[in-house]
Amino acid sequence: MTRVAAIDCGTNSIRLLVADVPAEGGHTDLLRRMEVVRLGQGVDATGRLAPEAVERTRLVLAEYAAAARDLGAEDVRMVATSATRDAANRADFEEMVRTTLGRAPDVVTGREEAELSFLGATGSLAAAAAAHGLEPAAAPWLVVDIGGGSTEFVLGDGRGVAAARSVDIGCVRLTERHLHDDPPTVEQVAATERDIRAALVEVAAEVPVGRAASLVGLAGSVTTVAALALGLPAYDSEAIHGSRIAVDDVRRVSSGLLAATRERRAAEPVMHPGRVDVIGAGALVLRVLMDEFSLAEVTVSEHDILDGIALRLARG
């Protein structure tokens, strides 16, 4: 058993997992935390990480480093994704992480980000299905991780990844680019859809999505859509993990979020405050990709790149 700490620093949030990982089988969580720091604030427009966003990230990262030490983690790995990849001042951010955490972040490529997401998501599919009294989602799986700056598409099965593509249609990026009004106008939503569909053409050119037997959706946009579709009175990760949401329910939730004011979205009991501004774009990505690729349902996973980081760190 190896105790490790995994940190996922995305465009919208920074998350921590401290877990005991055996040589085989499922890992045991000791601590999971998520804070919305919006590191990617303005990156799509300016090409630089904003100083205030870096400072928000530093404060949370210091707390995570202390928690990992207190829990006796033998090793720690921080993975930084879309916002950091895109930033002209990436070196300054890396130096901040080195000072705060004691080691530099791994600024991974879109391909490695996709592989880590796939590893984390598929490791618990059978157990998640059993908890809901369902048969496991059939392979090959199309794993889709909707992040803040980018979305990863990965096709694979129990033997590993067959094809992957990362495209810049994350919920923060699309919101900052198009969805400026409250609620967004029909024209703004249409412009967002055009960006998503253009990116999906790139995905289909590299990932044979027609081979997928099941869609597996990850990250906060997907889990929040699932919570709303299930009508949960509060966010419940156990009820969400392994649930299956039909495309008609995704359409209904997506339309409702895009038609709602910020105040209405914030009032939803399952809504994390840090997702209020960007959930409409994230839900739209899920809805459009399901329609475009003719996918009837999505299996929702609470396990994602964070779990993949921990598994790879412990097992090599």
Side-chain angles (χ1 to χ4, degrees), residues 207-255:
V207 180
V209 294
R211 296 182 193 170
S214 305
L215 170 66
V216 181
L218 319 180
S221 291
V222 176
T223 58
T224 302
V225 168
L228 291 167
L230 293 168
L232 299 179
Y235 194 92
D236 182 346
S237 59
E238 290 187 8
I240 293 166
H241 186 51
S243 64
R244 294 184 184 166
I245 309 300
V247 66
D248 283 346
D249 290 324
V250 173
R251 292 183 187 124
R252 171 179 57 81
V253 171
S254 173
S255 296

Side-chain angles (χ1 to χ4, degrees), residues 163-228:
R165 179 63 193 265
S166 176
V167 285
D168 287 341
I169 50 169
C171 59
V172 174
R173 190 184 299 272
L174 291 173
T175 300
E176 290 186 349
R177 189 179 293 172
H178 296 299
L179 303 180
H180 303 139
D181 289 345
D182 180 31
T185 65
V186 172
E187 292 77 16
Q188 289 169 0
V189 174
T192 308
E193 281 200 43
R194 285 194 296 271
D195 274 10
I196 297 168
R197 292 186 191 282
L200 295 181
V201 172
E202 298 177 26
V203 171
E206 295 189 28
V207 180
V209 294
R211 296 182 193 170
S214 305
L215 170 66
V216 181
L218 319 180
S221 291
V222 176
T223 58
T224 302
V225 168
L228 291 167

Side-chain angles (χ1 to χ4, degrees), residues 3 23 36 50 74 81 86 98 106 108 112 116 118 123 186 192 196 224 233 241 296 308 311:
R3 181 166 296 183
V36 172
E74 298 171 40
T81 54
D86 296 343
R98 190 178 291 108
D106 290 330
V108 297
E112 186 176 359
L116 289 168
F118 184 87
V186 172
T192 308
I196 297 168
T224 302
H241 186 51
L311 292 171

